[in-house]
Amino acid sequence: MTIGEQIQHIRIEKGLTQERLAEMLEVSRQSVSKWELGQAIPDVEKIIRMSELFDVSTDTLLLRNPEDMEEKKNPLHLGSVYLVVKDFEKSVAFYEKFLDVKVDNRCRSGNKFVEFYVDNKCIALMNEDNIIGHCTDLNSPYKFVQNYWVEDLLSEYERVKALNIGHVTKIREAYPTYHYFHLTDPDNNIIEVTGGYHMTENICQSCGMKMSEGDFATNADGSTNKDYCKYCYADGGFIKEQTLEEMIESCIPFLIQDGDCKTEEEARELLQKELPSLKRWNP
């Protein structure tokens, strides 16, 4: 915890707003804000005055007590809070005018999301069409997505799955440098977790199944083929000739059975997004 974070923590604990603390210290609200954001450090006179107002020692404010410096280790870091919007372009235009901020990441995110930074906090708009399985009812109260980031996405995924506290999707790829999974809370709100992810598993390039050592297909000469699973491909050829649409329909029950999706509609939407990029369907 920094000095600024400590000031903010004690200020809130004492029930003071930034404006009220600034008035008591005879400084501007902007000065208090800069202290709390770590953009400036109060002088000695102000630190002594705050210790009197907060009824704490200067050592507490300056974090000289080792116990005050200990922080609970948590792999999760809050990223953004997404406001899920129905008409994406209309909402972007609205918030650009309201916040008087132009978004600058459209070339990267396209029509998926945009980010606005206000008071050093991130508020993002998420296009509802890009949230797999999310309620699309215009009158739905579920319009927020919490976003967290972690250093090791796979470890966090395994930790959350083991908690068994809500529906967890598999790890998905939005684009090559952005992987994530969703956790659904008891009110059907979505929590998105993203972070560093290195693909170590083999994915069947026909049905998308995760493959382990005993799942690999065989080539015509009997050698192992790690592109496809043994249920789709054997002895150098596909076991069953079928269209992409037929493959999607045949995979739906397995996604529901494995807990990756809750409904047929959700599974179908996910497969329609992911299977077309696989080798068999995108030669």
Side-chain angles (χ1 to χ4, degrees), residues 10-26:
I10 300 175
R11 172 181 64 77
I12 294 173
E13 191 177 68
K14 298 296 182 180
L16 299 174
T17 63
Q18 286 187 341
E19 289 81 359
R20 180 56 180 152
L21 178 59
E23 180 183 336
M24 296 169 76
L25 294 174
E26 298 182 339

Side-chain angles (χ1 to χ4, degrees), residues 18-274:
Q18 286 187 341
E19 289 81 359
R20 180 56 180 152
L21 178 59
E23 180 183 336
M24 296 169 76
L25 294 174
E26 298 182 339
V27 298
S28 68
R29 186 199 67 80
Q30 287 77 12
S31 293
V32 175
S33 178
K34 288 182 178 179
W35 296 342
E36 294 185 355
L37 292 172
Q39 298 174 351
I41 298 176
D43 59 34
V44 175
E45 179 186 344
K46 295 297 185 292
I47 290 175
I48 294 174
R49 179 61 179 144
M50 278 188 283
S51 73
E52 295 171 345
L53 293 172
F54 294 156
D55 192 25
V56 298
S57 68
T58 54
D59 280 346
T60 298
L61 287 174
L62 295 173
L63 301 174
R64 288 179 181 162
N65 185 341
E67 293 182 0
D68 293 332
M69 299 180 69
E70 291 182 2
E71 294 185 45
K72 180 182 178 182
K73 294 189 180 299
N74 193 319
L76 289 172
H77 305 278
L78 183 62
S80 305
V81 174
Y82 290 106
L83 174 62
V84 183
V85 298
K86 191 75 175 177
D87 189 326
F88 185 68
E89 297 300 336
K90 182 177 181 180
S91 296
V92 170
F94 173 90
Y95 279 95
E96 282 186 330
K97 292 178 181 178
F98 172 63
L99 300 173
D100 193 25
V101 175
K102 287 289 184 182
V103 296
D104 59 2
N105 60 353
R106 293 298 296 275
C107 59
R108 177 170 64 88
S109 65
N111 71 340
K112 296 180 181 179
F113 68 91
V114 294
E115 298 171 334
F116 296 92
Y117 288 89
V118 181
D119 282 343
N120 211 34
K121 307 290 190 305
C122 180
I123 300 174
L125 305 185
M126 170 67 80
N127 188 341
E128 190 169 52
D129 291 339
N130 285 277
I131 302 182
I132 299 173
H134 190 264
C135 176
T136 56
D137 179 2
L138 187 61
N139 298 315
S140 170
Y142 312 122
K143 294 296 177 183
F144 288 90
V145 174
Q146 299 174 55
N147 169 260
Y148 295 85
W149 64 270
V150 293
E151 297 290 345
D152 186 339
L153 186 63
L154 185 58
S155 293
E156 182 62 12
Y157 175 74
E158 292 171 347
R159 184 187 77 87
V160 172
K161 285 279 285 187
L163 293 175
N164 195 30
I165 54 175
H167 175 68
V168 182
T169 70
K170 69 178 183 179
I171 295 176
R172 297 165 174 163
E173 179 183 291
Y175 46 85
T177 58
Y178 192 100
H179 293 84
Y180 68 95
F181 67 86
H182 283 168
L183 167 67
T184 306
D185 77 3
D187 291 307
N188 205 37
N189 296 303
I190 292 175
I191 298 169
E192 179 178 286
V193 183
T194 185
Y197 180 63
H198 302 286
M199 181 73 76
T200 57
E201 59 193 3
N202 294 88
I203 301 296
C204 175
Q205 295 299 303
S206 172
C207 66
M209 185 186 85
K210 298 176 184 178
M211 299 185 294
S212 56
E213 191 64 35
D215 297 321
F216 297 128
T218 54
N219 294 312
D221 60 3
S223 60
T224 300
N225 185 315
K226 293 188 177 182
D227 284 339
Y228 301 108
C229 71
K230 62 184 180 182
Y231 307 106
C232 291
Y233 192 92
D235 301 326
F238 292 108
I239 296 175
K240 184 178 180 180
E241 289 299 326
Q242 56 189 150
T243 65
L244 173 59
E245 290 70 25
E246 290 171 337
M247 175 61 76
I248 289 173
E249 293 302 316
S250 67
C251 290
I252 288 175
F254 296 104
L255 289 185
I256 296 175
Q257 177 182 308
D258 294 341
D260 290 325
C261 297
K262 292 185 288 186
T263 65
E264 289 188 6
E265 291 74 17
E266 182 181 350
R268 185 175 293 106
E269 186 176 354
L270 176 60
L271 291 165
Q272 287 173 340
K273 179 180 178 182
E274 297 188 350

